[in-house]
Amino acid sequence: MLRLLAPLALICAAPAAAQKIEAVDQVWAGHEVPFALVVTEERIYVGYYDAARQLSVATRPRGSSWWTYTRLPSWVGWDSHNRIAMAVDAAGQLHVTANMHNDPLVYFRTSVAGDVRTLTRVPTMVEPAAERSMTYPMFLEDADGRLIFKYRDGGSGRGREIYNVQDDAGWKRLTDAPLVDGEGRRSAYFVGPVLGPDGWFHAIWVWRDTPDAATNHDLSYARSRDLVRWERSDGTPCPCRSGWAMQRWSIRCRRTAG
């Protein structure tokens, strides 16, 4: 059996002259798949697939060289879509999602802040029916500092983008309807949203009509202050109340612009 491994290392944050490479673990390198790094004021967290392709998380306090490791019950196959997404919420709890390409939710959360050994699988976030075919997980914070989780529900060519928000009671939908809905005929492929120095969240995307990338079309852009109300670059607002069927709106805007 061919075994492809590579060292996982970090370049410690320091002035350039004082930087050093710090080994963390051996990892699977048979194909590219995005890992995750989260740095807080107190700790560094690294999410990765180890040499046996097992989902793993390592952490250490900043200023210390002692790593704590935990292995989670999930193993990646030959699929570069199965990115890892991590975030630390306002209470210091670590959230980890990973290993999903049109798969059911794979989600772990700590019960003791800073202790990755307390990571426990959580079976559902909001709605099990919308968590059976998930891809492209992403954590971000909104303008109020609340933790947001977004993902694609459904497959390529028939997907919709769903956003959840965490509050004191747990997770709930950020908007009543999916933020982006391909209506069973297409799906959007995104870069972002990314929070810019101007205080706006910026998103660009193309539409794809089938799993074939050759069916990509209509490069689109939108921005938002709160991830709920969106507008074009000229300030024209999206005319809806909750959620956003971006396909209809982006095509309408493109045609209006000629």
Side-chain angles (χ1 to χ4, degrees):
M1 176 181 176
L2 181 63
R3 192 170 179 82
L4 301 172
L5 305 179
L8 175 63
L10 295 179
I11 298 178
C12 299
Q19 284 184 350
K20 65 177 182 178
I21 296 177
E22 179 178 2
V24 179
D25 204 347
Q26 291 276 64
V27 300
W28 172 251
H31 59 86
E32 181 181 2
V33 59
F35 292 166
L37 172 67
V38 174
V39 180
T40 69
E41 293 184 0
E42 295 82 21
R43 305 192 69 86
I44 296 173
Y45 299 89
V46 184
Y48 59 98
Y49 298 108
D50 70 6
R53 305 195 205 185
Q54 186 170 1
L55 178 60
S56 305
V57 179
T59 185
R60 69 165 173 79
R62 299 183 68 173
S64 170
S65 60
W66 293 96
W67 290 91
T68 298
Y69 299 85
T70 190
R71 315 293 180 189
L72 301 173
S74 185
W75 288 260
V76 68
W78 289 91
D79 195 333
S80 294
H81 293 82
N82 294 32
R83 69 171 62 160
I84 301 170
M86 295 196 315
V88 174
D89 64 23
Q93 302 297 346
L94 179 69
H95 301 252
V96 181
T97 64
N99 207 16
M100 297 180 295
H101 183 200
N102 302 336
D103 291 306
L105 177 67
V106 179
Y107 169 44
F108 301 86
R109 184 178 59 213
T110 57
S111 57
V112 177
D115 189 350
V116 297
R117 297 168 299 181
T118 67
L119 280 166
T120 303
R121 187 158 186 173
V122 180
T124 188
M125 274 191 174
V126 178
E127 180 187 356
E131 297 170 359
R132 296 171 181 167
S133 182
M134 301 174 68
T135 312
Y136 305 129
M138 177 181 178
F139 287 105
L140 63 157
E141 289 186 355
D142 70 3
D144 296 323
R146 298 181 302 174
L147 189 61
I148 304 292
F149 177 69
K150 64 160 286 204
Y151 65 96
R152 186 187 73 191
D153 172 41
S156 180
R158 50 178 178 79
R160 54 187 191 152
E161 295 283 313
I162 293 179
Y163 283 61
N164 297 335
V165 60
Q166 186 189 42
D167 61 16
D168 293 339
W171 291 98
K172 64 180 182 180
R173 289 283 186 262
L174 180 64
T175 56
D176 294 335
L179 189 67
V180 182
D181 195 343
E183 300 174 318
R185 298 193 298 268
R186 60 192 61 85
S187 58
Y189 280 77
F190 272 84
V191 175
V194 175
L195 180 61
D198 55 359
W200 288 89
F201 289 95
H202 301 271
I204 59 174
W205 71 96
V206 295
W207 290 98
R208 183 181 296 183
D209 294 336
T210 76
D212 185 354
T215 64
N216 286 351
H217 60 89
D218 290 307
L219 179 64
S220 305
Y221 166 84
R223 66 186 184 187
S224 174
R225 291 284 190 185
D226 58 8
L227 297 172
V228 176
R229 292 172 289 273
W230 291 80
E231 63 181 45
R232 296 172 59 193
S233 59
D234 65 1
T236 304
C238 164
C240 30
R241 298 178 180 177
S242 65
W244 186 4
M246 281 196 195
Q247 168 68 12
R248 292 191 295 268
W249 189 65
S250 63
I251 293 296
R252 180 183 62 79
C253 291
R254 178 175 59 85
R255 289 174 178 168
T256 300

